Amino acid sequence: MHITFEKLTYREDYQIALDHFIIDRANGNRLTFYFRGHTDETMIISGDYACNYFELLFEADSVLLRSSDLHELDDGVEFNTIPLVLYKDSALLTFATAWMGLKRDPSRDWTHYAIRAFEQDFHILSPRPPVFTDLGHKMSDYIVKQTFDPPTNI
């Protein structure tokens, strides 16, 4: 299955798992997330190479919070089965405006992105939409080198 940003926002049967993420401090704390995704959760858990591999890049000035950071903030939103949900207004945006110094003005249309990954959720406040890149299928990180040439100094 080919994955797109739009499919992430409406496919209830699609599961994603975080592979890793990078905070690029040199470029204004840009956030780059790498995910594996598939309709079968078992394939994600086992790291099957048939899973889609994609990147979500949030530009500088984005704010990252994990679900555990939000335990006291009742957003009034039930668990959502869709991997990526966009909120133009939420309790988190209201809280960030009041207590975190987030400036909400017409030139910066802040959006709350709720990412539901396997066994962890992320909440990102961003003034711009993320850049989605489909990376195809990730192969193994390990390279096995074998040689059939016998050593010459025996």
Side-chain angles (χ1 to χ4, degrees):
M1 175 177 125
H2 180 71
I3 190 65
T4 63
F5 183 78
E6 290 74 26
K7 285 182 183 177
L8 285 177
T9 61
Y10 75 84
R11 290 289 303 257
E12 290 186 22
D13 64 337
Y14 197 73
Q15 307 292 320
I16 63 174
L18 180 68
D19 186 53
H20 67 282
F21 76 93
I22 300 167
I23 299 174
D24 187 357
R25 295 189 192 281
N27 290 314
N29 293 327
R30 288 192 325 186
L31 304 171
T32 308
F33 291 85
Y34 294 91
F35 292 99
R36 289 184 188 272
H38 202 277
T39 54
D40 185 358
E41 192 173 275
T42 307
M43 294 182 79
I44 295 173
I45 295 169
S46 64
D48 194 300
Y49 300 137
C51 292
N52 294 317
Y53 195 66
F54 61 93
E55 171 190 87
L56 280 177
L57 170 69
F58 290 89
E59 292 296 328
D61 302 328
S62 296
V63 178
L64 167 67
L65 295 168
R66 298 173 309 161
S67 287
S68 60
D69 298 331
L70 304 174
H71 67 279
E72 293 181 6
L73 183 63
D74 181 18
D75 211 350
V77 178
E78 295 294 323
F79 174 79
N80 203 322
T81 57
I82 298 172
L84 180 61
V85 180
L86 289 63
Y87 300 103
K88 291 292 183 185
D89 196 24
S90 69
L92 181 56
L93 281 169
T94 303
F95 174 80
T97 302
W99 297 99
M100 296 172 63
L102 182 75
K103 303 290 186 227
R104 295 185 72 181
D105 59 44
S107 65
R108 302 181 105 188
D109 192 17
W110 287 87
T111 304
H112 172 190
Y113 295 89
I115 302 173
R116 181 205 37 86
F118 182 71
E119 294 187 345
Q120 55 190 329
D121 293 344
F122 299 95
H123 298 268
I124 298 157
L125 306 179
S126 179
R128 292 172 292 285
V131 176
F132 175 87
T133 307
D134 184 356
L135 300 173
H137 303 288
K138 182 179 180 187
M139 295 296 142
S140 174
D141 292 332
Y142 303 102
I143 299 172
V144 178
K145 294 183 179 180
Q146 295 179 343
T147 181
F148 293 104
D149 296 331
T152 57
N153 58 355
I154 295 185

